Amino acid sequence: MIATALLLLQAAAPPADIELRAHVFVREGQVASRGEARLQVRAEPDGGGTVETRRQPEARGQTRLRQATIDVHAEARIADPRQSGEQQETGTSDPR
């Protein structure tokens, strides 16, 4: 039953207008300073977006990583301007 619900939810979501997939293998990397890394995806008008990341192994505060794999999947959707009350620009010139 859970699998059926997941399939229905996936079918109901509109396809992404913008999609980014990255698979990165880091042989050796070093973090020079403390901080935060962040990835965001956004479209105007905003129709929603998601970012999923997987790292192996987890950093857990280490400053040096070896043999690390990072996978990123990001999606953004452009909202329909007619549904948000905005007028869609046509980009046409004045016919006069």
Side-chain angles (χ1 to χ4, degrees):
M1 180 165 168
I2 292 174
T4 304
L6 287 174
L7 286 174
L8 288 174
L9 287 173
Q10 289 175 348
D17 294 303
I18 302 165
E19 182 176 23
L20 168 72
R21 289 184 182 264
H23 175 81
V24 179
F25 175 75
V26 180
R27 189 172 301 152
E28 183 175 334
Q30 183 170 352
V31 179
S33 62
R34 289 180 131 6
E36 181 179 313
R38 187 182 324 192
L39 173 67
Q40 292 180 306
V41 290
R42 191 174 73 194
E44 290 293 332
D46 190 10
T50 59
V51 176
E52 300 172 11
T53 60
R54 282 187 297 248
R55 299 170 301 275
Q56 276 192 320
E58 292 288 328
R60 295 194 178 100
Q62 299 169 339
T63 58
R64 183 179 301 270
L65 290 176
R66 291 195 171 120
Q67 309 298 316
T69 302
I70 303 165
D71 290 302
V72 175
H73 179 214
E75 294 182 348
R77 288 171 185 77
I78 300 171
D80 185 348
R82 294 170 291 190
Q83 292 179 353
S84 64
E86 298 176 12
Q87 293 294 324
Q88 185 175 11
E89 292 185 27
T90 61
T92 59
S93 61
D94 190 346
R96 288 187 260 168

